[in-house]
Amino acid sequence: KMEEKIRDFIQRRFSGKKKRIGDKESLFGSGAMDSIAHLQLISFLEKEFGVSFSMDEFSLENFDTIERISALLKKKLSQSR
């Protein structure tokens, strides 16, 4: 599942948390991610899901929760078909 791949990547690489990150939990507000992690996440998503993000899609708002990241990815994947 897409959300689990995203969550696993974030938890393994950045969060250092033992508890599971919720789909609606703020990744930046909780300290799970910072601006460097944001760029690393974008790189991971582009490679893992075969999408490309434009600069206007790089906003923290689009990447603040797993739910928002998943919604953006689903939109990108549906446009590429």
Side-chain angles (χ1 to χ4, degrees), residues 12-29:
R12 277 187 287 111
R13 296 289 291 268
F14 312 120
S15 81
K17 287 183 163 186
K18 298 294 183 214
K19 78 172 187 86
R20 182 180 182 273
I21 296 172
D23 287 351
K24 296 181 181 191
E25 182 176 345
S26 172
L27 299 172
F28 295 97

Side-chain angles (χ1 to χ4, degrees), residues 26-42:
S26 172
L27 299 172
F28 295 97
S30 70
M33 288 185 45
D34 59 17
S35 59
I36 304 266
H38 181 211
L39 295 175
Q40 291 174 330
L41 174 63
I42 289 169

